[in-house]
Amino acid sequence: MARYFKHRPLLDSSAVPVRQCLRRLPLAIRDEVAAELRRWEEAGVIEKVDSSPWLSNMVVVCKKSGEIRLCVDLSAVNQAVIPRRHPLPTAEDITAEFHRSTVFSKLDLKQDYLQLRMAEGSPCITAFLTQVGVFQFRRMPFGLSSAPSAFQKMMTSVLAGIPGVAIYMDDIAVHGPDRKIHAERLDQVFQRLTCHQLTVNNEKCLIGVAETLFVGRY
């Protein structure tokens, strides 16, 4: 989880909080959902609260594997969020950066947005209603409209000044004209990530390859 960064969404002061009603879940998955909520709570992703001026609904997605994935419908909240625009690079920008590079690594951050904490006083807008009570996110949730630019801004700050690095939110490409320079740059990236307590998903990383797909481009 990011050591020095927190996200505080900006809200339209005229926005009226929306409190949605509970969506009943099928009995067959209630125990599984409750167990997943406990896992999130124990991991520090969410915390239980007594009430909140904002209440969104939880959405349960069933994967092909038979497992479930929990999401929160923040569409009503997003209408009140004032977006902070931090530019995302285009595919053309990234392709231009790769010019003359022959060695590439692609790093995927583990848990993505959940590595960024919510600032004190702001989590109430992420509160959601479940059959076992009300929870709010302690870390930045998927589906929050301000999340992509906030995460891009954080990663740009974390890796600022390291040459041969392209960033697209939770994906990082490290490249260089030869293996020696590439290795030096990759080492700098890992040092920064370690310093900021950001972790990568080793299973999804590619290290020292001749080409890699990044934001739809090689």
Side-chain angles (χ1 to χ4, degrees), residues 24-131:
R24 299 290 176 181
L25 296 176
L27 288 174
I29 64 171
R30 288 188 182 181
D31 288 345
E32 192 174 358
V33 169
E36 184 68 2
L37 288 170
R38 283 196 300 272
R39 187 182 72 81
W40 275 14
E41 189 175 13
E42 290 169 1
V45 174
I46 60 175
E47 62 184 355
K48 203 164 190 178
V49 294
D50 293 330
S51 62
S52 172
W54 292 88
L55 278 180
S56 298
N57 263 304
M58 182 180 63
V59 179
V60 181
V61 178
C62 295
K63 301 179 182 179
K64 291 182 179 180
S65 63
E67 298 178 340
I68 63 169
R69 182 176 67 192
L70 304 186
C71 308
V72 177
D73 180 7
L74 295 171
S75 55
V77 170
N78 286 335
Q79 293 181 29
V81 173
I82 300 173
R84 291 178 175 176
R85 299 298 183 190
H86 187 84
L88 298 178
T90 65
E92 289 74 19
D93 293 335
I94 291 170
T95 300
E97 285 192 40
F98 289 170
H99 182 58
R100 295 183 180 176
S101 287
T102 62
V103 187
F104 302 86
S105 290
K106 185 167 74 170
L107 310 179
D108 179 82
L109 290 183
K110 193 174 183 179
Q111 292 188 311
D112 307 322
Y113 294 168
L114 295 180
Q115 294 208 48
L116 179 56
R117 288 175 292 179
M118 297 292 287
E120 290 78 3
S122 60
C124 68
I125 68 167
T126 66
F128 60 100
L129 192 58
T130 77
Q131 76 272 8

Side-chain angles (χ1 to χ4, degrees), residues 106-179:
K106 185 167 74 170
L107 310 179
D108 179 82
L109 290 183
K110 193 174 183 179
Q111 292 188 311
D112 307 322
Y113 294 168
L114 295 180
Q115 294 208 48
L116 179 56
R117 288 175 292 179
M118 297 292 287
E120 290 78 3
S122 60
C124 68
I125 68 167
T126 66
F128 60 100
L129 192 58
T130 77
Q131 76 272 8
V132 292
V134 178
F135 296 86
Q136 65 185 14
F137 280 88
R138 298 180 63 190
R139 305 186 194 176
M140 187 171 68
F142 297 96
L144 188 64
S145 61
S146 57
S149 60
F151 204 82
Q152 181 73 22
K153 183 179 180 180
M154 179 186 74
M155 293 310 303
T156 300
S157 298
V158 167
L159 300 178
I162 304 177
V165 176
I167 304 165
Y168 193 83
M169 293 186 288
D170 61 314
D171 286 326
I172 305 165
V174 184
H175 55 97
D178 57 50
R179 289 199 170 274

Side-chain angles (χ1 to χ4, degrees), residues 10-16 79-82:
L10 294 176
L11 289 186
D12 183 343
S13 59
S14 65
V16 178
Q79 293 181 29
V81 173
I82 300 173

